[in-house]
Structure formats: C-alpha cells, structure tokens
Amino acid sequence: MTRVSGIYAPNGDFISFESARSASVLGEDFATSSRAMGFDPATLFGMLPDPDPVLRDRGEDASILHELEADDEVGTGIEKRTLRTLNKTNFTFSPGHAEGEEPTELAVTVCKLLERDLADLKLRTAFGEILETVFYGPTFSELSWEMHNGHYKLVAITSKPRDWFAFNDQRKPVFQSMDTPEGEPLPPFKFLMTRHRASYDNPYGKRLLTRCLWPVAFKRGGIEFWSRFCEKFGSAFMIAKAGKDAQERNVIAAQLVSMIQDAVAVLPPNSDVDLVQAASRAGDLHKSFVSHWNTAISKILTGQHLSTNQDGNGSRAAAETHSAQLDALAESDQAMLVDSMNDLARIYTKLNFGDDIFPPVFEFTEPEDHAKKAELGKSLHSMGVRFFPKYFENKFGMSPDEFYMDSSPESASTQKQEPAVSAARSAGSNFSAADDVDEFQQAIDRLADKLTPEVAKINEGLATQIENIVEQAESFEDIHAGLAELLGQELDQYEMDELLSNAMLNAQLAGRAAVHGDSDD
C-alpha cells in the first residue's frame, strides 16, 4: 500500500504535499538561465548580457550605433522609414469596452482625461523617440505625474539613454545605477518600455543598425581608397623624356611637379613632355564597391533601394513595388507604436482608476478620401444610379443648405425606377411633344405612361433595397457583393411577368396596326 504524505486542513480536507508542490510550480518559471546547462556566467551577477551577435563579435556595446547615423545612406534610410509613420497625424483614443457592449460613463471619462493630458504634451517628439526602437534598441520613456483635481495628471514623457538600462537574469528591465550595479527594478507606473521583436532569448529585441555596422565600415574603407585613387589617377600623368644627365633630369622633374600646381614650367631645350590620361573605367571598381554597400544599407533599413538609389537603373513599376515594401515595414512600425500607446493608456487607467475599468484604445485613422468617393459616385451615376440629397449629406458631410439637386422633387421620386424605364419614359415624352409623331407612337407612349406606376409599385421594395446597398457601399466590391446577395434570393416574379407580357402584347398589336395602316396608304 502506497502512503501519501500530506496534511489535513481545518475544514477536514486532506492536502498532499505532492499536490502542493505541483501548485507552486504552476506560478513559477521552471526553465531559467541559472538552471540551464550552457548559461552565460555573466548572469551570476544578476545581469543578462546583450545577446546581439554583431556587437558581441566586435566587442562593442549599443552606444556605437549612434555613430552610424553620420553615414548619408543610414541617415536617409532612418528618416525615410520613420517619416512614413511620423507623418500620420490622424489618430485618436476611443473609450474601452467589452466586445458587443457600449462603453461605460467612467470609461468615457477616463478617455477624455487622457486626451486632455496628452494635448499638453509634444506627442510627435514622443512618437519619434519610440520609433527609434527599430534602429537602436529598446526605448525607456519615463512618465512624470502630478496630482491634479483628484487624479494623477501625465505631465511629461521623456526618453532616457538606453545604456542606462539592462535586463536581469529574470528578463526584467532594470536601471543600472551606481548604488546597485546589479540593477534596480523599475518602479511601477514610471516607465513606458517599447521593444522591437523581443523574445525570451533576446529581451533587448532586434536592432537594424547592428546589421549596418559592417556595411558602413566597408563603405568607409572603399571611399578612402576611392579618394586616394582619384587623387593619384584622376588627373593626367606628365611624362618627360630627358637625356642621361642626372642634373638635367632633376631640373625637369622639379618643373613638372611645379606644373601640376600652376601649369607653368620652364624646361631645357629638346625636352619632350607627354600627358598620359588614366583609363576612363579605372575608378569604376571603387564606385561599384561603394554602391554595393549603399544598396545593402538601404535594404536593411527600408527593405528596398530603388526609391532611394536608382542611378538610372530600374523602371517606375519596380520603384513603386519597392515603395510598397517600405509601406509594409512602416505598417509594422505603426503597429509597434499603437501597442506602446495602448500600454500607456493601461498604465494611466490602472494608476488612476484601478483594474476594473477598460482602458482607452489608441488607433490611427485614415482621412476621408472625398475624391475617391466622388469618383465612385460619378461611376455609379454613369451606370444609371441616381442619388437623393441624403446621399451627399451622409457621404460628404454636406448640409442641405450647401447644395441643391438639379431636378424637381417629382422627377427625383421617379429616379427610384429602373434607369431604362425612366429613360424610355423621358424619351417617349419628348417624342410625343413633336408635331410629326404619328398616333401609333402616341399610343405606345400612353401605354408606357400607364404601365410605369405599376412597374414602380412592383419594384418599389427591390429598388429601396438596391438604393440602401449603394448608399452604404464604400467601393464597387461592396456593391457587387450586396447585389449578389440580394438578387440571389428567391423573388416572386409572377406579377412582373404578367405585366410585361401584357405590355409586349399591346405593343405588338399596335405595331401590326401601324404596318397595316401604312400598307393601306
């Protein structure tokens, strides 16, 4: 019989020691660097060294990355990628709420307070510092608070030097102070930390500039050799033919050296001087070498190079494709910024109102493209769709007193009808007004006028549904999907079939009568 060790609780329940140990394990990390076989000895001091392979191989720290920005290609790449997100000025905070529910009054209040506090701050500067995370590593933004009307007001967001911070062996961020070399844990509600593609193995995240260290080093070396080459071989060589007299040769050499500066020389008689130009393609190797590393740097930072360096190569289509790649990277940076601002909203809400309130949600919003909407409306109009004033009020935010429709209310009501029917009726009215229209045409016009209300009555429900689909659509794809769903339903066509049959029969009889009338004449 197996004995189980344990203890009885005051309520009489038996709790085994084994189950207690299992419960404690659930709340702790089992796999840690201090217990792993191959851990870094530096973790014995409580600090996790930067695992970046490039910095480790070069024996340097992340502070060297700031020197790379002096390179023209690096600086341009950083600016180009950062501005893709930084120039998006349409963003907002909305009150947080559970899915399918409306935000509470307190959630709305929290959102308004946060927006009011942020209105006094330079958010563009804060956004720019956060976006530098992609290039330099984690950003630690210190939050400064002041008590104001019963709540903590956010008064400053300040990015602090990255080399002041590190991660301990528990993968927690710490401040490296002089008093505690092992690092001080960051106080709650005081720091907003942003990282780029961080992981358990590398809590510091990915830095793009570390991948630019070698390309920039090789590029600088290439430029140095290129400069020397241009200095030596960029100008023509002056070669003189002299006699065997050493003194005369020295005089000629001195004169040629002087000639390089002022192009003036006094040479002995019978001296022969030739100018020899270096091969025109002699420096192309150095130029190609530098261009290669420029391309490599641009690819690392922006994912492409044609939007920065074309040099007469590539097509417009290729450049647009490369620009789309840059847009994709900018969307990733934007998502990182959104996550960081949502973290700020959670800190703000928890500090002032606790954990029971949904924090505000940050998002970028695209400005309304009225030109695109107008083009869509123009295309729909050319297809036969006619709009009511409500369409322009909803889609373009126009007030009724800002425009008028070039049609009367009576004609506007007929715009619900089928475009072909409206056109036929209009055309019939014009023909009936002419003096030379025969009586049979007038009879057909009267028949169309009589049938038009019946057609409109039968199709009134369908026309209303189609109009709603058009007004709610944002694109042709939305209209196509809505019409496919509507017309895919089973519709009762009996009344319409009977009406059209009668109309065609009357038109056919009128046509025959007209033919017989002409033959009698």
Side-chain angles (χ1 to χ4, degrees):
M1 180 177 180
T2 303
R3 298 182 60 184
V4 180
S5 301
I7 190 174
Y8 284 95
N11 61 358
D13 294 339
F14 179 78
I15 303 175
S16 67
F17 293 144
E18 185 65 28
S19 63
R21 284 194 294 269
S22 300
S24 65
V25 169
L26 295 177
E28 301 175 353
D29 287 339
F30 178 79
T32 62
S33 57
S34 60
R35 298 178 63 236
M37 290 185 60
F39 75 99
D40 195 313
T43 59
L44 291 175
F45 302 98
M47 302 297 292
L48 182 68
D50 194 328
D52 190 285
V54 179
L55 295 177
R56 184 174 61 244
D57 293 343
R58 291 173 60 100
E60 296 171 319
D61 57 28
S63 60
I64 194 177
L65 300 181
H66 290 277
E67 300 179 8
L68 300 181
E69 197 170 354
D71 182 84
D72 61 329
E73 195 70 26
V74 173
T76 300
I78 292 176
E79 288 295 317
K80 183 182 290 293
R81 179 163 174 174
T82 301
L83 290 178
R84 285 290 177 109
T85 302
L86 201 58
N87 285 340
K88 293 185 177 182
T89 57
N90 295 294
F91 54 84
T92 182
F93 281 95
S94 57
H97 58 87
E99 186 176 358
E101 299 180 4
E102 294 294 327
T104 62
E105 293 184 4
L106 186 55
V108 174
T109 301
V110 173
C111 185
K112 291 182 178 180
L113 288 175
L114 177 59
E115 289 181 327
R116 187 189 65 185
D117 291 355
L118 294 178
D120 297 332
L121 305 181
K122 296 180 179 180
L123 284 184
R124 183 179 176 86
T125 300
F127 287 175
E129 294 171 344
I130 291 174
L131 291 173
E132 288 182 350
T133 303
V134 177
F135 310 103
Y136 298 102
T139 298
F140 295 87
S141 303
E142 186 165 4
L143 308 177
S144 301
W145 307 90
E146 288 183 0
M147 183 60 68
H148 180 76
N149 293 334
H151 82 281
Y152 285 100
K153 178 181 179 180
L154 181 61
V155 295
I157 303 175
T158 309
S159 177
K160 297 301 176 70
R162 293 175 174 83
D163 55 359
W164 290 3
F165 302 88
F167 289 86
N168 59 22
D169 55 355
Q170 302 299 320
R171 272 63 179 176
K172 301 296 184 181
V174 294
F175 173 66
Q176 301 183 97
S177 65
M178 297 182 64
D179 298 332
T180 54
E182 69 276 8
E184 295 182 28
L186 302 183
F189 311 118
K190 277 295 292 178
F191 284 92
L192 177 66
M193 181 178 65
T194 306
R195 295 180 290 177
H196 175 238
R197 297 172 60 184
S199 63
Y200 181 84
D201 186 53
N202 182 10
Y204 293 86
K206 303 291 185 180
R207 305 182 184 94
L208 293 184
L209 285 184
T210 59
R211 296 162 57 189
C212 293
L213 280 171
W214 287 120
V216 171
F218 288 132
K219 174 186 173 182
R220 288 175 177 174
I223 291 178
E224 181 180 355
F225 280 105
W226 192 7
S227 299
R228 292 179 181 178
F229 178 87
C230 292
E231 182 180 355
K232 291 182 178 180
F233 305 102
S235 59
F237 291 94
M238 287 177 287
I239 302 176
K241 297 178 182 179
K244 296 181 179 181
D245 187 357
Q247 184 177 0
E248 181 181 352
R249 295 172 63 180
N250 291 335
V251 171
I252 294 176
Q255 291 294 325
L256 292 180
V257 171
S258 176
M259 187 176 180
I260 295 177
Q261 302 296 327
D262 51 22
V264 177
V266 180
L267 301 175
N270 302 324
S271 298
D272 187 7
V273 178
D274 294 330
L275 295 179
V276 179
Q277 188 71 35
S280 59
R281 297 179 57 87
D284 288 351
L285 180 61
H286 296 81
K287 180 179 179 181
S288 300
F289 183 82
V290 173
S291 297
H292 169 78
W293 294 116
N294 275 336
T295 298
I297 294 171
S298 183
K299 286 182 178 179
I300 292 171
L301 298 180
T302 65
Q304 49 80 45
H305 67 94
L306 283 185
S307 66
T308 304
N309 298 313
Q310 284 197 5
D311 294 331
N313 300 320
S315 62
R316 177 180 177 182
E320 291 177 349
T321 301
H322 283 216
S323 181
Q325 175 65 20
L326 179 57
D327 290 337
L329 295 177
E331 290 179 4
S332 175
D333 299 342
Q334 178 178 312
M336 180 189 68
L337 179 57
V338 169
D339 289 342
S340 185
M341 297 308 295
N342 283 329
D343 288 342
L344 175 63
R346 282 190 286 270
I347 295 173
Y348 186 92
T349 304
K350 187 174 182 179
L351 175 62
N352 284 291
F353 300 93
D355 295 325
D356 298 331
I357 305 299
F358 283 96
V361 178
F362 178 85
E363 63 178 346
F364 283 95
T365 58
E366 294 296 333
E368 288 188 300
D369 191 349
H370 292 299
K372 185 176 181 180
K373 289 183 178 180
E375 187 65 26
L376 175 62
K378 181 179 179 181
S379 300
L380 293 174
H381 185 276
S382 65
M383 296 168 59
V385 177
R386 297 297 179 264
F387 302 105
F388 289 98
K390 200 67 176 178
Y391 171 83
F392 299 95
E393 296 175 21
N394 295 336
K395 293 295 184 181
F396 299 94
M398 302 173 64
S399 301
D401 57 353
E402 293 181 335
F403 70 98
Y404 71 93
M405 306 295 291
D406 191 14
S407 61
S408 63
E410 179 180 357
S411 62
S413 63
T414 62
Q415 290 171 357
K416 287 186 176 181
Q417 305 169 11
E418 295 285 334
V421 175
S422 299
R425 182 178 182 184
S426 177
S429 299
N430 292 335
F431 278 116
S432 62
D435 297 333
D436 56 347
V437 176
D438 56 49
E439 57 178 344
F440 297 103
Q441 182 62 51
Q442 295 179 11
I444 294 177
D445 294 340
R446 288 193 297 271
L447 175 63
D449 292 339
K450 181 180 179 181
L451 294 179
T452 295
E454 299 183 38
V455 174
K457 181 179 179 181
I458 294 175
N459 284 338
E460 183 176 2
L462 180 61
T464 301
Q465 296 181 62
I466 294 177
E467 182 185 70
N468 292 335
I469 290 174
V470 173
E471 290 185 351
Q472 297 174 6
E474 297 290 342
S475 63
F476 286 113
E477 290 75 9
D478 294 342
I479 297 176
H480 183 273
L483 292 178
E485 180 179 358
L486 175 63
L487 300 179
Q489 302 173 0
E490 295 184 1
L491 302 177
D492 186 6
Q493 296 293 329
Y494 174 75
E495 295 182 359
M496 178 61 74
D497 291 342
E498 183 179 9
L499 180 65
L500 292 178
S501 297
N502 292 335
M504 293 181 66
L505 177 61
N506 284 298
Q508 185 177 13
L509 293 176
R512 291 182 178 180
V515 172
H516 287 300
D518 291 340
S519 61
D520 293 340
D521 294 339

